[in-house]
Amino acid sequence: MMTRIDKTRGWAVTDPLKHSQALGGTMAFLGLNRSMPLLHGSQGCSAFAKALLTRHFREPIPLQTTALVQSTVVMGGEESLEVALETITTTLHPDIIGVLSTGLTEMSGDDSAAIVKSFSESRCGEDGPLVVFAATPDFSEGLERGWASAVEAVVSTVPEDGSTIPRQVNLLVGPSLTALDVEELHGIVKSFDLKPIALPNLSGSMDGHLTEDWSGLTTGGTTAVELKTIGRSEVTLAVGSSVFAAGSKLNNRFGIPALNYPRLTGLGAVDSFISDLSEISGIVVPGELMHWRRRLADAMLDTHFILGGVRVALALEPDLLLAISSLLDEMGAIVVAAVSPTSSPILDLIPCDEVKLGDLAELETRASEAGAELIIASSHARSIAQRLGAAHLRIGFPVFDRFGQQYQLTAGYRGTLDLLFSVANCLTSHDELRIHSGHVG
Amino acid sequence: MTLVKPIELFDEPACDHNRQKKVEDRIKGCPVPKPGATAGGCAFDGAMITLVPITDAAHLVHGPIACCANSWDARGSLSSGPSLNRHGFTTDLSETDLIFGGEAKLQSAILEIASKYSPAAIFVYSTCVTALIGEDIGSVCETAQEITGIPVIPVQVPGFLGSKSLGNRLAGDVLFNYVIGTSEPADLTPYDINLLGEYNIAGELWSVLPLFERLGIRVLSKVSGDSRYSEITWAHRARATMVVCSKALLGLARKLQESYGVPWFEGSFYGVSDMSQTLRSIAKLLGDPDLQRRTEELIVLEETKAAVRLSPYLDLLRGRRAVLYTGGVKSWSLVSALMDLGIEVAGIGIKKSTSEDLDRIRALVGEKSILIEQGTAAELLRIVNETESDILIAGGRNQYTALKSRVPFLDINQERHFAYAGYDGIVELAKRLHLAISSPIWGQVRAPAPWEKSDHQVNPSSDSSLTQIQLIADPE
C-alpha cells in the first residue's frame, strides 16, 4: 500500500521544520576543501545561516554575503556580487567559491549565473578559484533541494573530460549523512580496493578537528583537483534520493553508470550496497565488514526488546525520515507519525499510513494524538517532547544541545548498529528518569 | 516597493554622529557593509532582538522560510512566565504567494494565531522580499486588529535597511508609535522606572531586580527582557528611564522625555563600580533624598559582600590581559567590569561605537589599549598574539576563532549561558574568566604530539626502542 501524503496546511507555519534552500546549498559547499560559500542577499541571510550552522556543527563556518542594502537591491545587486567575488578572491584565495542566490535576489531578478560565468571566464588562465553558482530561492522547496542544487551545479560545471580512471568511484552523498557517516562509507568503498571520491565530504571539513593555523576557509572536504576528475570515474554511487539527479547528470554528460541508494541504514539496505560493491570491484566482501554485519545482527537481537512496539513520531528531512523510520519499522517499532518539511518521491516509501507535510506544531499534534513514546527530530523539538513526556532522540538539523552529533553514525552496518544503540539508550535513560521522578504508570 | 528615505532613518538627535552638520557626515556614521567582507546581522535581526523578548506576544514573520527558520529558538532571553515568544511563526511564502501577493495569507495567519494561542499582541515583521514586492502589512495589521480585538503591530524593518543596531532602533520607534501610551497602569508609585535595552540574557535581569526591590524601586516597564506586552503600553508613566547598554534605544528614551517628560540616563549593570553608579543615578533621577541615602547604604553593603566573594578571583585574575570585541556600548560597560577585576584590556572593538562611546573608553583605559576597527577573525587573533593576551571576550560568532587557535574564550553576547549583571553577575564573570583562562586543557591541546616535538629523536633501530619500552613495562 502506498503511503498517503497529507499536503494540507494551516496559514501560519508554527515552529518551522523546513529550512531554506540557501542553507542546504551552503552546507553542501562546506563539504568542499578550501571553499567559501557566498550568499547573494542581504547581510542577514548569511548572518542567520552562519549562526545556525555554527550552533549545529560547533565549528567556525566560512560564509560570506554580498551584503545588499535597499539601494543596491533597487539598482540591481549584480555589482555587489562582482565586488564580493573579487574581494573574497583577493583576500582569502579560496580554491572554490560557491555562490547561492536567496529569495531576495531571485525576486529582484538578478542574473547571478551570468555574473558568475563572466567572472570565471575573466579569471580563466589565472590562478583564480572555481566559482560555482546554484539558484536557491527560499520561497520554494527546502534544505534537501538546496543541497541537491549545489551538488548538481558542481557536477555540471567543474568536471573535465578525459580517459576513465580505473577503479575510481564517485560517492555522492545527501544531507542526511553525518560527517562520520561519509568517512565510514568512504572506508567501506575503499576496502573493496576502489578509489572513492566523496562529494560533498563533510568528514574532512565539519568533523571538528584542530588544525595548526586558523583558516577563514574550509580546512577539508572534496578538493578542486578531485572535482575535476569526477567525470572520469567508473561508476557513481548516490546515497540519498536528493543526489540521484546529480548522478544522472554525470551519467548524461560522461556516460558514468549510477547506482542509487535511497538509504544505507538497516541490515537489508546495507546488504545490497555491499553486494553491489563486491560485484563492481570483483572482490569478495572483506572479513572486517562481514564481522561488522555479525555485530549488527547481534545488536538487533539485543535491542529488539526495547524497540519492539515502541510508538515513534518523527519529523525529519525526507531522506533521513526514510532511513530512520524504515530502520525502526524493521526493528518492530511502530511509526505513529511522520512529518516532512518538503515533498519528495521517496515519501511514498515511509512505513507509516500517512506522511504529513508540515511543521513541528503538526508533529506535536500527531505525536500527542497517537501517544508517541519517542520523538525523533532536531533540538527544536525538545520542548514538544517535554510537554508530551516522551523520550527525544536528537537527529537531523539543527542539533545544538548535544555534543558529538557529527560522530553519530547512521549508515553502513556499523552506523546502523551505532544508531540502534542510540535509540535504545535514549529510551532506557528516559525510562530511568521517569521511574526516578515517579512518572511511571 | 515602498522606499524608506535613508536620511529619515538616520535622523536621531540623541545619537552623537547625527549632530554633524552635513547630511553626508550623518549618514557616514552608519557605514554601508562591504560585499564579500561583512559579518553581522541585518535590521530585521535587530528588530527581533528588541521585540521577541516580549514573552506573551506572538511574533509572526511575513516572508519566505529562511528569515524565521534560521532565527527562531535561538535567543538567550529568558522568561519567568509565558513562553509564547519562543514559538517561531511565519507565513512561509511560496513563489505563488509572491506572484499573487501574500496579504490574504498574512491576514489568515494572524487570525489563526489569535484564535489558537490568544496572544496579548501579535507583532508582524516584514522581510526583504515582502518589502520588495510592496506588501502593505500596515493595513493588513489594521484590519486584523479590528477583527481580533488584539493589538496587531506592523514591524516594517526589512533586513536590507541596514545593520542590526538600526533594527534595534526602529523597533524602539515601533514601540513608541504603536504600543507605549495605549493603556494606563493600575497604580503608580514615585519610584517607577523603565529599563530600555535589557533583554534578560541568561536571566541576568533577575540578579538586578532584587536590588531595586530592596530600595523600593519598581520596574514599571522592561523593554523588553522578560516583559509582558501590557507593561510596555504604560511605559510613559515611569518617573525615570534607564537605557541599558544600548545606543540604539536612545531615540526611544528621548521620545519618552519629549512627549511625556520622563528623564533618562545611560547606565550599565556590568561591574561593581558601574552597578553602584547606576543605582546612584536612578536614585538621583527619582529625586528622593531618603532613597538616595538608602541607596548609598545598600551600595556599601553590596560592595563589601562582592569584595569578599571576589577576593579569591582577584588574585587569580590580576594582571591578566584580555581582548574585548563586542558591540558599541557594551565595550565601555564591560571595560569597566574587567578593570574592577584587575584585568588589563589590551584591545577593544570599536566597530559599532560612537565617538561618545570612544570618549568613555579613552577615559577608562587611557591610550594603552588597541582600538579595533575591523575585527575580522585574523585581525583579532593577531592582536591577541601581539598583546600576549590571555583571553578573547567576544560574541559567539568569534568563539571558534579563538578556540581553533587554542586561545581561551568567553562569550559575552546574546547567546551566552551565564548571567554577568549586578553584584552577583560580576562574581560569576570573575569565576567564568578564571575557569576559561586556567582550564587544564590548554597545556594539553597546545603541546605537539610527542613524535612532533623538534627535539624528539627517532631511534634509528626500531628494535632497540621496542626493547626499551619492554624494559620499562617489565622491570624484571
Side-chain angles (χ1 to χ4, degrees), chain A residues 265-310:
Chain A
T265 305
L267 187 66
V270 184
D271 276 348
S272 38
F273 179 63
I274 300 296
S275 308
D276 289 349
L277 282 174
S278 183
E279 199 172 311
I280 294 163
S281 64
I283 282 178
V284 291
V285 178
E288 199 187 341
L289 267 179
M290 293 206 282
H291 200 63
W292 273 112
R293 190 181 189 281
R294 288 190 283 267
R295 286 170 175 162
L296 170 57
D298 195 65
M300 291 167 72
L301 293 173
D302 288 346
T303 54
H304 84 283
F305 296 112
I306 301 277
L307 296 183
V310 165

Side-chain angles (χ1 to χ4, degrees), chain B residues 328-356:
Chain B
V329 181
K330 264 178 286 172
S331 47
W332 59 257
S333 65
L334 278 168
V335 168
S336 162
L338 293 171
M339 288 173 69
D340 284 347
L341 298 175
I343 291 174
E344 191 185 313
V345 182
I348 307 171
I350 53 157
K351 190 181 161 208
K352 290 187 245 168
S353 303
T354 62
S355 55
E356 204 176 306

Side-chain angles (χ1 to χ4, degrees), chain B residues 25-348:
Chain B
D25 287 344
R26 267 180 268 161
I27 293 181
K28 231 189 304 179
C30 302
V32 174
K34 185 169 165 36
T38 293
C42 59
F44 161 77
D45 190 0
M48 300 272 291
I49 287 171
T50 299
L51 299 174
V52 169
I54 303 172
T55 56
D56 54 356
H59 300 270
L60 169 62
V61 179
H62 186 43
I65 193 69
C67 307
C68 176
N70 285 348
S71 66
W72 76 287
D73 193 20
R75 299 173 197 279
S77 177
L78 300 188
S79 168
S80 58
S83 57
L84 185 59
N85 62 332
R86 296 210 71 89
H87 286 293
F89 295 106
T90 175
T91 48
D92 178 22
L93 295 181
S94 67
E95 194 159 13
T96 326
D97 294 328
L98 295 175
I99 293 165
F100 295 104
E103 289 170 15
K105 193 174 189 177
L106 174 61
Q107 175 157 326
S108 306
I110 296 170
L111 301 185
E112 189 178 81
I113 291 169
S115 77
K116 263 196 202 166
Y117 297 91
S118 312
I122 302 176
F123 287 86
V124 178
Y125 301 77
S126 69
T127 56
C128 295
V129 170
T130 48
L132 184 69
I133 63 170
E135 293 274 287
D136 185 1
I137 74 166
S139 62
V140 174
C141 288
E142 221 174 285
T143 313
Q145 177 162 327
E146 275 166 31
I147 299 170
T148 59
I150 296 171
V152 182
I153 298 143
V155 184
Q156 308 201 50
V157 187
F160 61 31
L161 284 188
S163 70
K164 206 153 73 174
S165 56
L166 178 65
N168 295 148
R169 190 162 80 64
L170 295 175
D173 292 351
V174 167
L175 291 179
F176 187 80
N177 294 334
Y178 290 91
V179 184
I180 294 169
T182 57
S183 82
E184 298 295 329
D187 61 319
L188 285 170
T189 78
Y191 308 107
D192 289 348
I193 63 163
N194 294 326
L195 297 180
L196 301 191
E198 208 301 314
Y199 300 123
N200 198 30
I201 304 302
E204 63 184 16
L205 182 62
W206 298 324
S207 31
V208 176
L209 288 182
L211 298 171
F212 290 149
E213 271 164 36
R214 278 159 61 193
L215 292 171
I217 295 169
R218 183 171 75 161
V219 178
L220 186 68
S221 308
K222 303 180 290 292
V223 175
S224 53
D226 192 24
S227 65
R228 312 294 178 268
Y229 178 79
S230 58
E231 70 187 77
I232 296 172
T233 61
W234 54 63
H236 58 299
R237 292 301 178 211
R239 303 292 290 266
T241 294
M242 172 181 173
V243 182
V244 188
C245 305
S246 173
K247 194 61 71 183
L249 290 178
L250 286 183
L252 179 55
R254 181 181 53 82
K255 286 178 183 168
L256 281 167
Q257 178 162 41
E258 281 170 6
S259 306
Y260 303 102
V262 188
W264 58 275
F265 77 103
E266 273 184 275
S268 157
F269 296 139
Y270 297 125
V272 172
S273 44
D274 276 14
M275 184 64 226
S276 299
Q277 190 48 48
T278 289
L279 293 175
R280 282 192 190 100
S281 305
I282 293 173
K284 196 174 156 208
L285 267 191
L286 293 175
D288 176 340
D290 183 55
L291 175 65
Q292 280 172 289
R293 184 187 54 75
R294 286 184 290 114
T295 302
E296 289 305 328
E297 281 171 16
L298 180 111
I299 288 171
V300 170
L301 190 71
E302 288 297 324
E303 288 195 351
T304 314
K305 266 168 45 188
V308 172
R309 294 172 66 199
L310 278 175
S311 67
Y313 295 112
L314 291 183
D315 290 338
L316 297 165
L317 294 174
R318 189 171 297 119
R320 295 287 195 175
R321 261 182 231 147
V323 170
L324 178 60
Y325 190 73
T326 176
V329 181
K330 264 178 286 172
S331 47
W332 59 257
S333 65
L334 278 168
V335 168
S336 162
L338 293 171
M339 288 173 69
D340 284 347
L341 298 175
I343 291 174
E344 191 185 313
V345 182
I348 307 171

